[in-house]
Amino acid sequence: MNLHAVLTQVIPTLASLIEGIGVLIILYGCIKSLYLFILDRLNLSNNQPKLELAKALAYSLEFKLAAEILKTVIIQTIDEFIVLSAIVILRVVLTVVIHWEIKSTNSEIGE
């Protein structure tokens, strides 16, 4: 059995596990953010719950992006490459936007 055949069998499972970790991080971030929001008596002007959720989303996107990078190893057609490229580009854009949001929220808190 050659290396490509082994990777073709293993990578989908690894990618799914890594994406699952990303989902768990999102779930944790949502629960923590909601908890902080409720503790603050649903105060919309407090940026801490929003910041916690943004950090969790950014962190989870890193795991999701890692899974997509793993999937590039087993691409066999140009159509798969185009779809995977679009997904990676969207996730990178989302990560940049979320990091920008975190940075702007941190600067608001510092003022």
Side-chain angles (χ1 to χ4, degrees):
M1 188 178 255
N2 64 14
L3 181 60
H4 183 72
V6 171
L7 291 176
T8 304
Q9 295 294 318
V10 172
I11 287 181
T13 304
L14 286 175
S16 295
L17 283 171
I18 293 170
E19 286 183 336
I21 292 168
V23 169
L24 291 174
I25 292 169
I26 292 172
L27 182 62
Y28 170 77
C30 288
I31 291 169
K32 183 175 181 182
S33 180
L34 181 62
Y35 175 74
L36 291 172
F37 184 58
I38 291 171
L39 274 183
D40 201 31
R41 297 188 178 127
L42 310 178
N43 180 5
L44 292 174
S45 63
N46 185 2
N47 287 328
Q48 193 60 36
K50 177 177 145 184
L51 188 60
E52 289 297 324
L53 183 57
K55 286 179 181 177
L57 290 174
Y59 193 50
S60 70
L61 276 171
E62 299 295 332
F63 278 92
K64 298 217 165 262
L65 191 56
E68 297 302 332
I69 291 169
L70 273 178
K71 290 178 188 177
T72 62
V73 174
I74 58 173
I75 289 178
Q76 295 180 357
T77 67
I78 192 71
D79 291 337
E80 290 176 344
F81 176 74
I82 291 169
V83 169
L84 197 57
S85 297
I87 292 169
V88 167
I89 290 168
L90 287 171
R91 288 190 175 166
V92 167
V93 169
L94 283 171
T95 301
V96 168
V97 169
I98 290 171
H99 281 290
W100 174 78
E101 181 70 28
I102 290 170
K103 192 174 184 179
S104 67
T105 302
N106 277 334
S107 67
E108 284 178 16
I109 291 172
E111 291 178 351

PDB file of all heavy atoms in Angstrom, residues 72-93:
ATOM      1  N   THR A  72      -6.142  19.203   1.553  1.00  0.00           N
ATOM      2  CA  THR A  72      -5.471  19.499   0.284  1.00  0.00           C
ATOM      3  C   THR A  72      -4.569  18.352  -0.159  1.00  0.00           C
ATOM      4  O   THR A  72      -4.272  18.218  -1.339  1.00  0.00           O
ATOM      5  CB  THR A  72      -4.627  20.785   0.363  1.00  0.00           C
ATOM      6  OG1 THR A  72      -3.605  20.629   1.333  1.00  0.00           O
ATOM      7  CG2 THR A  72      -5.485  21.989   0.678  1.00  0.00           C
ATOM      8  N   VAL A  73      -4.139  17.531   0.771  1.00  0.00           N
ATOM      9  CA  VAL A  73      -3.260  16.411   0.449  1.00  0.00           C
ATOM     10  C   VAL A  73      -3.965  15.384  -0.430  1.00  0.00           C
ATOM     11  O   VAL A  73      -3.337  14.754  -1.277  1.00  0.00           O
ATOM     12  CB  VAL A  73      -2.734  15.746   1.744  1.00  0.00           C
ATOM     13  CG1 VAL A  73      -1.934  14.502   1.451  1.00  0.00           C
ATOM     14  CG2 VAL A  73      -1.921  16.737   2.546  1.00  0.00           C
ATOM     15  N   ILE A  74      -5.260  15.231  -0.260  1.00  0.00           N
ATOM     16  CA  ILE A  74      -5.971  14.167  -0.978  1.00  0.00           C
ATOM     17  C   ILE A  74      -6.823  14.674  -2.141  1.00  0.00           C
ATOM     18  O   ILE A  74      -7.639  13.935  -2.675  1.00  0.00           O
ATOM     19  CB  ILE A  74      -6.834  13.331  -0.006  1.00  0.00           C
ATOM     20  CG1 ILE A  74      -7.838  14.200   0.728  1.00  0.00           C
ATOM     21  CG2 ILE A  74      -5.957  12.572   0.956  1.00  0.00           C
ATOM     22  CD1 ILE A  74      -8.824  13.422   1.564  1.00  0.00           C
ATOM     23  N   ILE A  75      -6.617  15.919  -2.553  1.00  0.00           N
ATOM     24  CA  ILE A  75      -7.364  16.457  -3.698  1.00  0.00           C
ATOM     25  C   ILE A  75      -6.971  15.704  -4.963  1.00  0.00           C
ATOM     26  O   ILE A  75      -5.793  15.484  -5.212  1.00  0.00           O
ATOM     27  CB  ILE A  75      -7.079  17.962  -3.864  1.00  0.00           C
ATOM     28  CG1 ILE A  75      -7.724  18.741  -2.745  1.00  0.00           C
ATOM     29  CG2 ILE A  75      -7.578  18.462  -5.206  1.00  0.00           C
ATOM     30  CD1 ILE A  75      -7.451  20.215  -2.804  1.00  0.00           C
ATOM     31  N   GLN A  76      -7.983  15.338  -5.752  1.00  0.00           N
ATOM     32  CA  GLN A  76      -7.694  14.594  -6.975  1.00  0.00           C
ATOM     33  C   GLN A  76      -8.206  15.282  -8.233  1.00  0.00           C
ATOM     34  O   GLN A  76      -7.757  14.966  -9.321  1.00  0.00           O
ATOM     35  CB  GLN A  76      -8.285  13.186  -6.876  1.00  0.00           C
ATOM     36  CG  GLN A  76      -7.623  12.382  -5.776  1.00  0.00           C
ATOM     37  CD  GLN A  76      -8.174  10.987  -5.656  1.00  0.00           C
ATOM     38  OE1 GLN A  76      -9.096  10.611  -6.353  1.00  0.00           O
ATOM     39  NE2 GLN A  76      -7.605  10.210  -4.762  1.00  0.00           N
ATOM     40  N   THR A  77      -9.143  16.225  -8.105  1.00  0.00           N
ATOM     41  CA  THR A  77      -9.662  16.903  -9.295  1.00  0.00           C
ATOM     42  C   THR A  77      -9.585  18.411  -9.100  1.00  0.00           C
ATOM     43  O   THR A  77      -9.501  18.905  -7.974  1.00  0.00           O
ATOM     44  CB  THR A  77     -11.127  16.513  -9.577  1.00  0.00           C
ATOM     45  OG1 THR A  77     -11.956  17.019  -8.531  1.00  0.00           O
ATOM     46  CG2 THR A  77     -11.293  15.005  -9.703  1.00  0.00           C
ATOM     47  N   ILE A  78      -9.649  19.129 -10.206  1.00  0.00           N
ATOM     48  CA  ILE A  78      -9.609  20.584 -10.150  1.00  0.00           C
ATOM     49  C   ILE A  78     -10.872  21.131  -9.484  1.00  0.00           C
ATOM     50  O   ILE A  78     -10.821  22.155  -8.805  1.00  0.00           O
ATOM     51  CB  ILE A  78      -9.394  21.195 -11.556  1.00  0.00           C
ATOM     52  CG1 ILE A  78      -9.060  22.690 -11.463  1.00  0.00           C
ATOM     53  CG2 ILE A  78     -10.603  20.993 -12.433  1.00  0.00           C
ATOM     54  CD1 ILE A  78      -7.717  22.964 -10.917  1.00  0.00           C
ATOM     55  N   ASP A  79     -11.995  20.448  -9.647  1.00  0.00           N
ATOM     56  CA  ASP A  79     -13.232  20.881  -8.990  1.00  0.00           C
ATOM     57  C   ASP A  79     -13.101  20.836  -7.472  1.00  0.00           C
ATOM     58  O   ASP A  79     -13.536  21.751  -6.769  1.00  0.00           O
ATOM     59  CB  ASP A  79     -14.420  20.028  -9.435  1.00  0.00           C
ATOM     60  CG  ASP A  79     -14.800  20.264 -10.885  1.00  0.00           C
ATOM     61  OD1 ASP A  79     -14.468  21.360 -11.406  1.00  0.00           O
ATOM     62  OD2 ASP A  79     -15.421  19.372 -11.487  1.00  0.00           O
ATOM     63  N   GLU A  80     -12.500  19.768  -6.958  1.00  0.00           N
ATOM     64  CA  GLU A  80     -12.266  19.673  -5.519  1.00  0.00           C
ATOM     65  C   GLU A  80     -11.340  20.793  -5.060  1.00  0.00           C
ATOM     66  O   GLU A  80     -11.543  21.375  -3.999  1.00  0.00           O
ATOM     67  CB  GLU A  80     -11.638  18.322  -5.158  1.00  0.00           C
ATOM     68  CG  GLU A  80     -12.561  17.137  -5.298  1.00  0.00           C
ATOM     69  CD  GLU A  80     -11.842  15.829  -5.026  1.00  0.00           C
ATOM     70  OE1 GLU A  80     -10.586  15.798  -5.027  1.00  0.00           O
ATOM     71  OE2 GLU A  80     -12.535  14.822  -4.820  1.00  0.00           O
ATOM     72  N   PHE A  81     -10.324  21.101  -5.864  1.00  0.00           N
ATOM     73  CA  PHE A  81      -9.386  22.167  -5.539  1.00  0.00           C
ATOM     74  C   PHE A  81     -10.077  23.521  -5.483  1.00  0.00           C
ATOM     75  O   PHE A  81      -9.840  24.316  -4.571  1.00  0.00           O
ATOM     76  CB  PHE A  81      -8.243  22.205  -6.560  1.00  0.00           C
ATOM     77  CG  PHE A  81      -7.290  23.336  -6.336  1.00  0.00           C
ATOM     78  CD1 PHE A  81      -6.384  23.294  -5.286  1.00  0.00           C
ATOM     79  CD2 PHE A  81      -7.309  24.453  -7.147  1.00  0.00           C
ATOM     80  CE1 PHE A  81      -5.508  24.340  -5.062  1.00  0.00           C
ATOM     81  CE2 PHE A  81      -6.445  25.505  -6.938  1.00  0.00           C
ATOM     82  CZ  PHE A  81      -5.535  25.448  -5.895  1.00  0.00           C
ATOM     83  N   ILE A  82     -10.960  23.787  -6.431  1.00  0.00           N
ATOM     84  CA  ILE A  82     -11.674  25.066  -6.473  1.00  0.00           C
ATOM     85  C   ILE A  82     -12.570  25.221  -5.243  1.00  0.00           C
ATOM     86  O   ILE A  82     -12.575  26.273  -4.597  1.00  0.00           O
ATOM     87  CB  ILE A  82     -12.479  25.200  -7.780  1.00  0.00           C
ATOM     88  CG1 ILE A  82     -11.514  25.345  -8.963  1.00  0.00           C
ATOM     89  CG2 ILE A  82     -13.444  26.370  -7.726  1.00  0.00           C
ATOM     90  CD1 ILE A  82     -12.162  25.225 -10.322  1.00  0.00           C
ATOM     91  N   VAL A  83     -13.310  24.176  -4.910  1.00  0.00           N
ATOM     92  CA  VAL A  83     -14.197  24.226  -3.743  1.00  0.00           C
ATOM     93  C   VAL A  83     -13.380  24.415  -2.466  1.00  0.00           C
ATOM     94  O   VAL A  83     -13.705  25.261  -1.621  1.00  0.00           O
ATOM     95  CB  VAL A  83     -15.068  22.950  -3.662  1.00  0.00           C
ATOM     96  CG1 VAL A  83     -15.792  22.864  -2.332  1.00  0.00           C
ATOM     97  CG2 VAL A  83     -16.053  22.901  -4.816  1.00  0.00           C
ATOM     98  N   LEU A  84     -12.311  23.648  -2.327  1.00  0.00           N
ATOM     99  CA  LEU A  84     -11.480  23.754  -1.136  1.00  0.00           C
ATOM    100  C   LEU A  84     -10.817  25.127  -1.045  1.00  0.00           C
ATOM    101  O   LEU A  84     -10.746  25.720   0.040  1.00  0.00           O
ATOM    102  CB  LEU A  84     -10.418  22.650  -1.149  1.00  0.00           C
ATOM    103  CG  LEU A  84      -9.724  22.351   0.166  1.00  0.00           C
ATOM    104  CD1 LEU A  84     -10.728  21.973   1.243  1.00  0.00           C
ATOM    105  CD2 LEU A  84      -8.722  21.241  -0.010  1.00  0.00           C
ATOM    106  N   SER A  85     -10.387  25.658  -2.161  1.00  0.00           N
ATOM    107  CA  SER A  85      -9.783  26.994  -2.178  1.00  0.00           C
ATOM    108  C   SER A  85     -10.780  28.057  -1.739  1.00  0.00           C
ATOM    109  O   SER A  85     -10.446  28.962  -0.973  1.00  0.00           O
ATOM    110  CB  SER A  85      -9.265  27.336  -3.569  1.00  0.00           C
ATOM    111  OG  SER A  85      -8.249  26.453  -3.943  1.00  0.00           O
ATOM    112  N   ALA A  86     -12.010  27.946  -2.229  1.00  0.00           N
ATOM    113  CA  ALA A  86     -13.043  28.908  -1.842  1.00  0.00           C
ATOM    114  C   ALA A  86     -13.314  28.838  -0.337  1.00  0.00           C
ATOM    115  O   ALA A  86     -13.443  29.876   0.326  1.00  0.00           O
ATOM    116  CB  ALA A  86     -14.326  28.651  -2.624  1.00  0.00           C
ATOM    117  N   ILE A  87     -13.373  27.639   0.200  1.00  0.00           N
ATOM    118  CA  ILE A  87     -13.603  27.465   1.635  1.00  0.00           C
ATOM    119  C   ILE A  87     -12.454  28.073   2.436  1.00  0.00           C
ATOM    120  O   ILE A  87     -12.674  28.785   3.422  1.00  0.00           O
ATOM    121  CB  ILE A  87     -13.799  25.976   1.991  1.00  0.00           C
ATOM    122  CG1 ILE A  87     -15.115  25.466   1.407  1.00  0.00           C
ATOM    123  CG2 ILE A  87     -13.758  25.751   3.498  1.00  0.00           C
ATOM    124  CD1 ILE A  87     -15.281  23.961   1.480  1.00  0.00           C
ATOM    125  N   VAL A  88     -11.229  27.805   2.011  1.00  0.00           N
ATOM    126  CA  VAL A  88     -10.063  28.347   2.718  1.00  0.00           C
ATOM    127  C   VAL A  88     -10.070  29.868   2.670  1.00  0.00           C
ATOM    128  O   VAL A  88      -9.841  30.541   3.686  1.00  0.00           O
ATOM    129  CB  VAL A  88      -8.749  27.769   2.136  1.00  0.00           C
ATOM    130  CG1 VAL A  88      -7.541  28.544   2.637  1.00  0.00           C
ATOM    131  CG2 VAL A  88      -8.615  26.303   2.487  1.00  0.00           C
ATOM    132  N   ILE A  89     -10.356  30.437   1.505  1.00  0.00           N
ATOM    133  CA  ILE A  89     -10.387  31.898   1.370  1.00  0.00           C
ATOM    134  C   ILE A  89     -11.448  32.499   2.286  1.00  0.00           C
ATOM    135  O   ILE A  89     -11.198  33.481   2.988  1.00  0.00           O
ATOM    136  CB  ILE A  89     -10.605  32.307  -0.099  1.00  0.00           C
ATOM    137  CG1 ILE A  89      -9.348  31.989  -0.914  1.00  0.00           C
ATOM    138  CG2 ILE A  89     -10.971  33.783  -0.215  1.00  0.00           C
ATOM    139  CD1 ILE A  89      -9.532  32.082  -2.403  1.00  0.00           C
ATOM    140  N   LEU A  90     -12.635  31.905   2.304  1.00  0.00           N
ATOM    141  CA  LEU A  90     -13.701  32.409   3.177  1.00  0.00           C
ATOM    142  C   LEU A  90     -13.307  32.332   4.646  1.00  0.00           C
ATOM    143  O   LEU A  90     -13.551  33.264   5.417  1.00  0.00           O
ATOM    144  CB  LEU A  90     -14.995  31.641   2.943  1.00  0.00           C
ATOM    145  CG  LEU A  90     -15.725  31.942   1.641  1.00  0.00           C
ATOM    146  CD1 LEU A  90     -16.874  30.970   1.433  1.00  0.00           C
ATOM    147  CD2 LEU A  90     -16.228  33.371   1.630  1.00  0.00           C
ATOM    148  N   ARG A  91     -12.691  31.246   5.032  1.00  0.00           N
ATOM    149  CA  ARG A  91     -12.295  31.091   6.435  1.00  0.00           C
ATOM    150  C   ARG A  91     -11.183  32.055   6.811  1.00  0.00           C
ATOM    151  O   ARG A  91     -11.156  32.588   7.931  1.00  0.00           O
ATOM    152  CB  ARG A  91     -11.913  29.647   6.725  1.00  0.00           C
ATOM    153  CG  ARG A  91     -13.157  28.768   6.728  1.00  0.00           C
ATOM    154  CD  ARG A  91     -12.918  27.391   7.222  1.00  0.00           C
ATOM    155  NE  ARG A  91     -14.204  26.690   7.289  1.00  0.00           N
ATOM    156  CZ  ARG A  91     -14.334  25.400   7.423  1.00  0.00           C
ATOM    157  NH1 ARG A  91     -13.257  24.645   7.527  1.00  0.00           N
ATOM    158  NH2 ARG A  91     -15.520  24.849   7.481  1.00  0.00           N
ATOM    159  N   VAL A  92     -10.263  32.310   5.890  1.00  0.00           N
ATOM    160  CA  VAL A  92      -9.203  33.287   6.161  1.00  0.00           C
ATOM    161  C   VAL A  92      -9.800  34.683   6.299  1.00  0.00           C
ATOM    162  O   VAL A  92      -9.436  35.440   7.211  1.00  0.00           O
ATOM    163  CB  VAL A  92      -8.113  33.236   5.066  1.00  0.00           C
ATOM    164  CG1 VAL A  92      -7.186  34.431   5.152  1.00  0.00           C
ATOM    165  CG2 VAL A  92      -7.325  31.942   5.163  1.00  0.00           C
ATOM    166  N   VAL A  93     -10.729  35.037   5.414  1.00  0.00           N
ATOM    167  CA  VAL A  93     -11.384  36.344   5.500  1.00  0.00           C
ATOM    168  C   VAL A  93     -12.130  36.475   6.824  1.00  0.00           C
ATOM    169  O   VAL A  93     -12.040  37.507   7.497  1.00  0.00           O
ATOM    170  CB  VAL A  93     -12.323  36.568   4.291  1.00  0.00           C
ATOM    171  CG1 VAL A  93     -13.214  37.780   4.500  1.00  0.00           C
ATOM    172  CG2 VAL A  93     -11.516  36.712   3.014  1.00  0.00           C
TER     173      VAL A  93
END
